[in-house]
């Protein structure tokens, strides 16, 4: 169970702060207890998650120790291997839906590798890669910023510095 003020990762909303816990009658005749979440990087929106389904939709933000361990493991994280590009979007979606930071790293590494290969061949990045790169980057860097207590715009530099040591 989370408390008011806790940071959580909520699927397609990224990092959220638990703003309140309240009994609401949103989904039926009987009131249910809900987490009322405020996305950290998407001002003006509110997310309501039933406490009964929270285990499937929410997870705690990585601790500083877990975030450092994840960053140091980036060089060892495997990329996505598919037989043809038609399978890519399914794999990308799977990584996003998993709500797992390591899967986001895998996705970002895969897209970065594909991007570099396309640029080397004189081609542009695909719209699919650009879309998922932006999405995965937003989610991962947002979480790492909270976990490491650094501004979001410094996360990439932090990763580069940590990996290059």
């Amino acid at each position: 169970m989370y408390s008011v003020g806790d940071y959580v990762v909520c699927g397609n909303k990224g990092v959220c702060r638990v703003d309140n816990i309240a009994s609401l009658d949103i989904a039926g005749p009987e009131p249910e207890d809900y987490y009322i979440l405020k996305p950290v990087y998407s001002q003006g929106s509110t997310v309501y998650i039933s406490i009964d389904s929270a285990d499937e939709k929410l997870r705690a933000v990585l601790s500083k120790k877990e975030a450092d361990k994840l960053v140091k493991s980036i060089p060892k994280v495997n990329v996505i291997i598919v037989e043809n590009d038609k399978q890519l979007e399914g794999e990308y979606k799977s990584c996003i839906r998993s709500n797992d930071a390591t899967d986001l790293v895998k996705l970002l590494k895969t897209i970065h590798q594909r991007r570099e290969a396309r640029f080397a061949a004189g081609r542009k990045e695909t719209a699919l890669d650009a879309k998922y790169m932006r999405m995965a980057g937003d989610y991962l860097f947002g979480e790492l910023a909270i976990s490491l207590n650094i501004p979001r715009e410094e996360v990439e530099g932090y990763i580069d510095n940590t990996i290059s040591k």
Side-chain angles (χ1 to χ4, degrees):
M1 184 140 172
Y2 303 105
S3 302
V4 173
D6 287 351
Y7 288 99
V8 296
V9 177
C10 177
N12 64 349
K13 298 297 180 184
V15 178
C16 296
R17 187 175 164 281
V18 178
D19 193 48
N20 198 357
I21 301 171
S23 186
L24 304 170
D25 58 356
I26 294 176
E30 294 294 317
E32 264 187 273
D33 290 334
Y34 281 83
Y35 289 115
I36 301 171
L37 310 173
K38 294 288 186 183
V40 173
Y41 300 107
S42 178
Q43 302 303 318
S45 64
T46 303
V47 181
Y48 299 87
I49 301 289
S50 167
I51 289 178
D52 292 340
S53 66
D55 287 345
E56 303 158 17
K57 298 179 181 179
L58 301 178
R59 69 172 172 80
V61 168
L62 297 172
S63 68
K64 182 174 182 354
K65 185 177 179 178
E66 292 168 330
D68 279 328
K69 185 178 176 183
L70 175 70
V71 169
K72 289 175 184 167
S73 76
I74 289 174
K76 296 176 190 135
V77 173
N78 293 324
V79 296
I80 297 167
I81 310 254
V82 293
E83 292 185 26
N84 64 58
D85 282 356
K86 291 179 181 178
Q87 298 172 321
L88 262 180
E89 187 166 18
E91 291 294 322
Y92 287 3
K93 283 181 181 179
S94 178
C95 287
I96 293 290
R97 285 187 192 130
S98 74
N99 201 14
D100 180 86
T102 304
D103 282 347
L104 294 176
V105 170
K106 180 195 300 187
L107 177 57
L108 289 168
K109 279 187 70 171
T110 300
I111 295 171
H112 177 76
Q113 195 175 75
R114 284 176 45 84
R115 180 189 274 177
E116 293 297 313
R118 289 183 70 82
F119 289 163
R123 299 185 315 201
K124 290 181 173 181
E125 165 181 51
T126 68
L128 181 73
D129 284 349
K131 172 185 170 183
Y132 282 94
M133 176 71 102
R134 184 175 46 258
M135 198 181 312
D138 284 349
Y139 295 159
L140 182 66
F141 297 161
E143 180 174 7
L144 290 176
I146 296 294
S147 299
L148 299 168
N149 197 29
I150 60 176
R152 189 175 180 188
E153 56 274 357
E154 293 179 16
V155 170
E156 272 190 89
Y158 177 87
I159 291 170
D160 290 342
N161 288 338
T162 302
I163 290 174
S164 67
K165 288 182 182 176

